[in-house]
Amino acid sequence: MQNLPKKVRSKKLNARVDLTAMVSVSFLLIIFFMVTIELAKPKVIVYDTGADRGCCDCPPPHHEENRSMTILLGKNNKIITYTGLPYIPIDAPKATKYGKNGIRKVLFERNKKVLEYSAALGKPGRGITVIIKPSQKSNYGNLVDIIDEMKIIGITSYSIVDDYTPEEEEKLLASK
């Protein structure tokens, strides 16, 4: 008999798959889809008028219009002010002038009324919001003067709107 080489047997390795990474990824995917489904649901904002609670002393539906005052700036230092909306103003449009006895007095009195009104509603410190609308014919100095008046009186909520003047406001600026 011949010397045959012995067969070398290889050792069997224990075949074990590590699934830790796969479990982590699947949990991350589950959490991701749960969050995206929750965020995709439509949200509804409920408008509470107080009518269903029998609220008698609730403010009228458009009570925030009391807080807005519009200042129209025209040519030749013309100023027109009104409170509320242009088609249904709370205070009728009126012409005034620059200075201590003009626009400053109007702004101060209106702001005082609104602060008292807001305090009565339980929201103290909410003064007027002024919308400044310079026309194409007004000058830059008039705009600076109005902003100075805001600073003097302490009105912090104001906005300058350019290139938007409805027909009603154009007629107010054109009238004498």
Side-chain angles (χ1 to χ4, degrees), residues 18-36:
D18 187 18
L19 296 177
T20 306
M22 187 121 123
V23 170
S24 297
V25 168
S26 37
F27 276 119
L28 286 173
L29 284 172
I30 289 170
I31 291 170
F32 172 76
F33 286 117
M34 286 172 55
V35 168
T36 55

Side-chain angles (χ1 to χ4, degrees), residues 19-136:
L19 296 177
T20 306
M22 187 121 123
V23 170
S24 297
V25 168
S26 37
F27 276 119
L28 286 173
L29 284 172
I30 289 170
I31 291 170
F32 172 76
F33 286 117
M34 286 172 55
V35 168
T36 55
I37 288 171
E38 188 62 33
L39 292 176
K41 290 180 182 176
K43 305 287 189 252
V44 177
I45 298 175
V46 178
Y47 178 67
D48 184 16
T49 60
D52 56 341
R53 292 180 280 133
C55 183
C56 300
D57 58 345
C58 293
H62 302 290
H63 72 282
E64 291 295 323
E65 292 170 5
N66 288 330
R67 292 187 57 229
S68 70
M69 181 176 192
T70 305
I71 299 175
L72 305 174
L73 304 177
K75 66 180 179 178
N76 299 328
N77 299 332
K78 186 172 188 176
I79 305 175
I80 305 239
T81 63
Y82 65 88
T83 304
L85 300 173
Y87 48 90
I88 47 169
I90 296 168
D91 287 341
K94 60 184 172 189
T96 188
K97 57 185 176 181
Y98 289 94
K100 181 170 70 171
N101 294 325
I103 189 69
R104 189 178 307 165
K105 184 177 178 184
V106 171
L107 287 169
F108 181 76
E109 289 173 357
R110 186 66 198 162
N111 194 33
K112 184 178 174 185
K113 275 187 194 177
V114 170
L115 285 171
E116 290 170 359
Y117 178 76
S118 296
L121 289 177
K123 299 176 183 177
R126 294 184 66 189
I128 62 173
T129 300
V130 178
I131 302 167
I132 303 168
K133 294 185 178 182
S135 70
Q136 296 292 331

Side-chain angles (χ1 to χ4, degrees), residues 111-172:
N111 194 33
K112 184 178 174 185
K113 275 187 194 177
V114 170
L115 285 171
E116 290 170 359
Y117 178 76
S118 296
L121 289 177
K123 299 176 183 177
R126 294 184 66 189
I128 62 173
T129 300
V130 178
I131 302 167
I132 303 168
K133 294 185 178 182
S135 70
Q136 296 292 331
K137 297 175 183 174
S138 68
N139 61 33
Y140 185 72
N142 291 346
L143 182 61
V144 172
D145 290 342
I146 289 295
I147 294 173
D148 286 343
E149 296 294 340
M150 299 292 142
K151 183 72 175 168
I152 291 168
I153 297 169
I155 297 173
T156 57
S157 178
Y158 62 89
S159 147
I160 301 168
V161 180
D162 60 342
D163 293 339
Y164 174 74
T165 311
E167 289 180 29
E168 296 95 9
E169 293 175 352
E170 287 290 341
K171 289 175 187 174
L172 288 172

